[in-house]
PDB file of all heavy atoms in Angstrom:
ATOM      1  N   SER A 244     181.402 -50.948 -70.092  1.00 84.00           N
ATOM      2  CA  SER A 244     180.740 -52.241 -69.908  1.00 84.00           C
ATOM      3  C   SER A 244     179.656 -52.262 -68.833  1.00 84.00           C
ATOM      4  O   SER A 244     178.606 -52.863 -69.060  1.00 84.00           O
ATOM      5  CB  SER A 244     181.775 -53.318 -69.601  1.00 84.00           C
ATOM      6  OG  SER A 244     182.771 -53.315 -70.576  1.00 84.00           O
ATOM      7  N   LYS A 280     159.827 -54.571 -81.462  1.00 98.00           N
ATOM      8  CA  LYS A 280     159.272 -54.042 -82.717  1.00 98.00           C
ATOM      9  C   LYS A 280     158.431 -52.816 -82.440  1.00 98.00           C
ATOM     10  O   LYS A 280     158.469 -51.825 -83.171  1.00 98.00           O
ATOM     11  CB  LYS A 280     158.414 -55.115 -83.412  1.00 98.00           C
ATOM     12  CG  LYS A 280     159.237 -56.179 -84.092  1.00 98.00           C
ATOM     13  CD  LYS A 280     158.316 -57.130 -84.830  1.00 98.00           C
ATOM     14  CE  LYS A 280     159.111 -58.193 -85.556  1.00 98.00           C
ATOM     15  NZ  LYS A 280     158.283 -59.311 -86.012  1.00 98.00           N
ATOM     16  N   GLU A 333     180.738 -62.993 -77.373  1.00 98.00           N
ATOM     17  CA  GLU A 333     181.080 -64.420 -77.296  1.00 98.00           C
ATOM     18  C   GLU A 333     182.102 -64.695 -76.200  1.00 98.00           C
ATOM     19  O   GLU A 333     182.729 -65.747 -76.189  1.00 98.00           O
ATOM     20  CB  GLU A 333     181.667 -64.869 -78.644  1.00 98.00           C
ATOM     21  CG  GLU A 333     180.677 -64.898 -79.786  1.00 98.00           C
ATOM     22  CD  GLU A 333     179.863 -66.183 -79.805  1.00 98.00           C
ATOM     23  OE1 GLU A 333     180.465 -67.265 -79.845  1.00 98.00           O
ATOM     24  OE2 GLU A 333     178.634 -66.108 -79.764  1.00 98.00           O
ATOM     25  N   GLN A 335     182.027 -65.408 -73.075  1.00 96.00           N
ATOM     26  CA  GLN A 335     181.870 -66.555 -72.179  1.00 96.00           C
ATOM     27  C   GLN A 335     181.434 -67.821 -72.920  1.00 96.00           C
ATOM     28  O   GLN A 335     181.827 -68.908 -72.546  1.00 96.00           O
ATOM     29  CB  GLN A 335     180.882 -66.213 -71.049  1.00 96.00           C
ATOM     30  CG  GLN A 335     181.028 -67.153 -69.899  1.00 96.00           C
ATOM     31  CD  GLN A 335     180.637 -66.604 -68.539  1.00 96.00           C
ATOM     32  OE1 GLN A 335     180.405 -67.374 -67.664  1.00 96.00           O
ATOM     33  NE2 GLN A 335     180.557 -65.308 -68.322  1.00 96.00           N
ATOM     34  N   SER A 360     187.041 -62.944 -75.737  1.00 93.00           N
ATOM     35  CA  SER A 360     188.211 -62.895 -74.839  1.00 93.00           C
ATOM     36  C   SER A 360     188.210 -64.199 -74.042  1.00 93.00           C
ATOM     37  O   SER A 360     187.869 -65.236 -74.600  1.00 93.00           O
ATOM     38  CB  SER A 360     188.247 -61.636 -73.959  1.00 93.00           C
ATOM     39  OG  SER A 360     187.273 -61.639 -72.959  1.00 93.00           O
ATOM     40  N   ASN A 394     199.139 -59.818 -76.677  1.00 88.00           N
ATOM     41  CA  ASN A 394     200.557 -59.959 -76.342  1.00 88.00           C
ATOM     42  C   ASN A 394     201.044 -61.261 -76.975  1.00 88.00           C
ATOM     43  O   ASN A 394     200.245 -62.161 -77.246  1.00 88.00           O
ATOM     44  CB  ASN A 394     200.761 -59.956 -74.826  1.00 88.00           C
ATOM     45  CG  ASN A 394     199.985 -61.056 -74.154  1.00 88.00           C
ATOM     46  OD1 ASN A 394     200.449 -62.178 -74.077  1.00 88.00           O
ATOM     47  ND2 ASN A 394     198.763 -60.770 -73.701  1.00 88.00           N
ATOM     48  N   TYR A 408     191.818 -77.307 -81.342  1.00 96.00           N
ATOM     49  CA  TYR A 408     190.365 -77.389 -81.542  1.00 96.00           C
ATOM     50  C   TYR A 408     190.052 -78.165 -82.817  1.00 96.00           C
ATOM     51  O   TYR A 408     189.210 -79.060 -82.836  1.00 96.00           O
ATOM     52  CB  TYR A 408     189.825 -75.956 -81.634  1.00 96.00           C
ATOM     53  CG  TYR A 408     188.328 -75.841 -81.700  1.00 96.00           C
ATOM     54  CD1 TYR A 408     187.574 -75.797 -80.547  1.00 96.00           C
ATOM     55  CD2 TYR A 408     187.671 -75.752 -82.922  1.00 96.00           C
ATOM     56  CE1 TYR A 408     186.200 -75.676 -80.596  1.00 96.00           C
ATOM     57  CE2 TYR A 408     186.295 -75.634 -82.986  1.00 96.00           C
ATOM     58  CZ  TYR A 408     185.569 -75.596 -81.818  1.00 96.00           C
ATOM     59  OH  TYR A 408     184.199 -75.478 -81.879  1.00 96.00           O
ATOM     60  N   GLY A 449     172.986 -74.865 -65.995  1.00 98.00           N
ATOM     61  CA  GLY A 449     172.618 -74.246 -64.737  1.00 98.00           C
ATOM     62  C   GLY A 449     171.559 -75.066 -64.008  1.00 98.00           C
ATOM     63  O   GLY A 449     170.732 -75.740 -64.638  1.00 98.00           O
TER      64      GLY A 449
END
Side-chain angles (χ1 to χ4, degrees):
S244 307
K280 284 184 179 166
E333 291 277 304
Q335 198 153 161
S360 71
N394 58 85
Y408 186 87

